[in-house]
Amino acid sequence: MADTAGLNGGPIAEDNIINRRGGESIYQSCVNLKNRLAQVPNFEPYLKEMEEEDSTLGNTDPVASLWNYLRNGYPLLAIYNASCPSEILEIDTAKVPENRRPKAATFKFLQAALQELAFPQQDCFLITDLYGENTIGFTKVIKMVNRVLDILEMQGQLIRPDVTTAAPEKGTVKLTKREHILKELLETERDYAHHLQNLQALKKELEETGALTGDASHQIFLNLNNILDFAQRFLIRIEQHYALPEEKQNWGEVFIQHEEAFRQYEPFIANQMRCDATCMKEWEKIRGAPRSLDLQQMVAQPATLNGFFVKPFQRLTKYPLMLSELRKQIEDPDLQADLTRAIDVIQSVLDSANNAIDKEHLATAFRELDERVDDWKALRIDTFGELLRFGTFTVIKGDNGKDSERE
């Protein structure tokens, strides 16, 4: 991993945001939101239609289910209309073509939230957040819909669930070694996604306040948005797979299926040196920009912020360890083989990232060497090729029949 000595500070406190456990994952948010929607008056037909669509498509992912259905637009109108507004939201089918009705309904929902429910502009999702393919955008949709439901709850409009039909709580069950490993995989994956969300929130804050220019932001955060989107999608897949019966689980395959997506980590990890240097250069601006307490804590000292940037590398290094332990608990040779291949996939990504880091170190040393030498005489450094080794080495030089060591 890149040398982070330049960003070292004091010890990180145990209650620091970097050590805080993750909140609700997007998978959990969608499951809980679907449960809340069941409390919205007259919303049952929409839920039934959603279930029918899922059954037809064979969809078992609550995120994809909710995402696809909210894109119809009409469910959003039904949620708002449950607040008993003075004017019911509806689409004039005589004026709006069928293919434009979903987005027209979504626009009406957003407009009503701004004008009638007094939502701040920054708390509203964009049309592209719902109809795009990025999980970061859909997270905004979930938050806004939940906030509307909060208003309905305060108004007493939601139908209270029958608590008498609730399932009795299960007693404490001792987990097997295999179950412990998978539980740790799931919980730490949630924490990891949450850390990336914090980092993305900081990026947004620094850009919105003008603390960082586009170039500086790119040098620090690089492809963070892509990594966060993948991390959330991968977490959805893990949560979905975790819910399956044990006999239907193949954890090696889960990782193998995302082999190409894991490659997105390579440039981010290799960018660590440039990230560190830019952070130190822009540190005063970075430290003074955040407005929320959590983001202020993230930039309380360079070491704390650096702890977030090394999270992707740290996460990748943990996968092979957990998968190796899981492999010991499985007897099926095919499942073991898939886990072995999954470990190789992650290790390949780590090896490529480390090679990229080494190249970045050598490229930096090459530039410094060029600057340190005042006169290269007739030599042209650009014709030397790539720097292969950098450091202090002992060489033996023959001089007048005697060998002597020099550095």
Side-chain angles (χ1 to χ4, degrees), residues 151-159:
I151 294 174
L152 295 180
E153 187 172 8
M154 287 187 290
Q155 293 176 345
Q157 301 289 354
L158 297 184
I159 302 171

Side-chain angles (χ1 to χ4, degrees), residues 206-350:
L206 295 176
E207 291 174 347
E208 287 182 349
T209 58
L212 290 181
T213 63
D215 288 343
S217 179
H218 181 72
Q219 289 171 0
I220 293 174
F221 297 99
L222 203 65
N223 61 334
L224 172 64
N225 287 352
N226 292 339
I227 288 178
L228 173 56
D229 181 53
F230 166 64
Q232 293 187 147
R233 290 180 183 278
F234 189 57
L235 175 56
I236 292 169
R237 186 73 180 94
I238 287 180
E239 302 236 30
Q240 191 178 6
H241 204 68
Y242 186 81
L244 294 176
E246 180 178 335
E247 62 272 14
K248 292 186 178 181
Q249 294 180 358
N250 183 341
W251 287 98
E253 186 179 29
V254 171
F255 282 80
I256 294 169
Q257 289 174 344
H258 295 84
E259 179 175 1
E260 288 304 314
F262 275 117
R263 297 289 174 187
Q264 297 177 86
Y265 282 106
E266 294 176 14
F268 186 87
I269 294 172
N271 188 58
Q272 190 67 45
M273 282 184 64
R274 184 180 302 172
C275 171
D276 291 352
T278 309
C279 280
M280 294 308 298
K281 180 181 178 182
E282 306 287 344
W283 183 247
E284 291 305 316
K285 296 178 183 177
I286 292 174
R287 187 173 60 178
R291 293 165 289 192
S292 72
L293 292 177
D294 276 351
L295 296 185
Q296 288 173 11
Q297 192 178 27
M298 284 179 67
V299 298
Q301 55 182 337
T304 306
L305 179 57
N306 180 256
F308 282 88
F309 284 112
V310 299
K311 286 290 181 182
F313 178 81
Q314 292 173 340
R315 189 59 187 164
L316 282 180
T317 60
K318 288 180 180 178
Y319 287 140
L321 300 176
M322 286 188 283
L323 293 178
S324 295
E325 288 299 313
L326 180 61
R327 185 175 54 187
K328 296 176 184 177
Q329 308 303 318
I330 293 177
E331 297 180 357
D332 188 308
D334 292 334
L335 296 180
Q336 288 180 338
D338 283 342
L339 284 169
T340 299
R341 185 182 166 195
I343 293 170
D344 292 340
V345 164
I346 301 300
Q347 192 58 53
S348 174
V349 175
L350 285 169

Side-chain angles (χ1 to χ4, degrees), residues 83-140:
S83 66
C84 299
S86 56
E87 183 178 347
I88 296 294
L89 295 184
E90 53 188 357
I91 298 297
D92 188 343
T93 56
K95 295 182 179 179
V96 182
E98 185 176 356
N99 63 333
R100 294 186 179 180
R101 291 171 192 169
K103 288 188 178 181
T106 302
F107 178 77
K108 278 182 171 288
F109 170 80
L110 291 169
Q111 190 177 45
L114 284 166
Q115 297 177 358
E116 305 300 328
L117 301 180
F119 269 51
Q121 181 72 50
Q122 63 270 21
D123 290 347
C124 295
F125 65 83
L126 303 176
I127 294 287
T128 52
D129 290 330
L130 178 57
Y131 294 94
E133 298 297 334
N134 194 294
T135 56
I136 301 173
F138 186 57
T139 300
K140 299 176 186 176

Side-chain angles (χ1 to χ4, degrees), residues 358 361-362 365-366 369 386-393:
D358 291 340
H361 274 287
L362 292 174
F366 186 87
L369 180 63
E386 293 184 359
L387 182 63
L388 301 179
R389 296 288 299 275
F390 175 71
T392 302
F393 305 97

